[in-house]
Amino acid sequence: GAHIASGSSDNSIKIWDAATGKCLQTLTGHAPIVLSVAYSPDGAHIASGSSDKSIKIWDAVTGNCLKTWTGHTATVRSVAYSPDGAH
């Protein structure tokens, strides 16, 4: 793809241009550490998991947080979409 998403201990997710390495966008909302990020198969959304025990779904274009799920009792270390994007 044209973009790369990264999570950091600075509480942010950054979206990078894969060709130039330029940071295009910074998404904030987790606290503290973002441990996992994944693009949806259609590229429209980004899922993130954090040591704040939450999962967030972001609009990949606007960077807006669309949903926050809580319920884990410990750090969320991994997020993934199903290959067909249905889940």
Side-chain angles (χ1 to χ4, degrees):
H3 298 143
I4 296 170
S6 63
S8 174
S9 59
D10 69 2
N11 308 344
S12 74
I13 298 161
K14 292 195 181 286
I15 309 302
W16 307 87
D17 182 295
T20 67
K22 179 182 175 186
C23 180
L24 303 173
Q25 195 170 30
T26 301
L27 314 180
T28 58
H30 280 296
I33 300 169
V34 179
L35 294 165
S36 182
V37 294
Y39 272 98
S40 61
D42 64 3
H45 300 102
I46 298 168
S48 59
S50 171
S51 60
D52 66 8
K53 305 175 191 170
S54 74
I55 297 166
K56 293 185 180 287
I57 304 298
W58 309 83
D59 183 297
V61 175
T62 67
N64 292 330
C65 181
L66 303 175
K67 296 177 186 177
T68 301
W69 287 305
T70 58
H72 282 284
T73 58
T75 297
V76 178
R77 297 188 181 275
S78 180
V79 294
Y81 282 90
S82 60
D84 65 2
H87 303 284

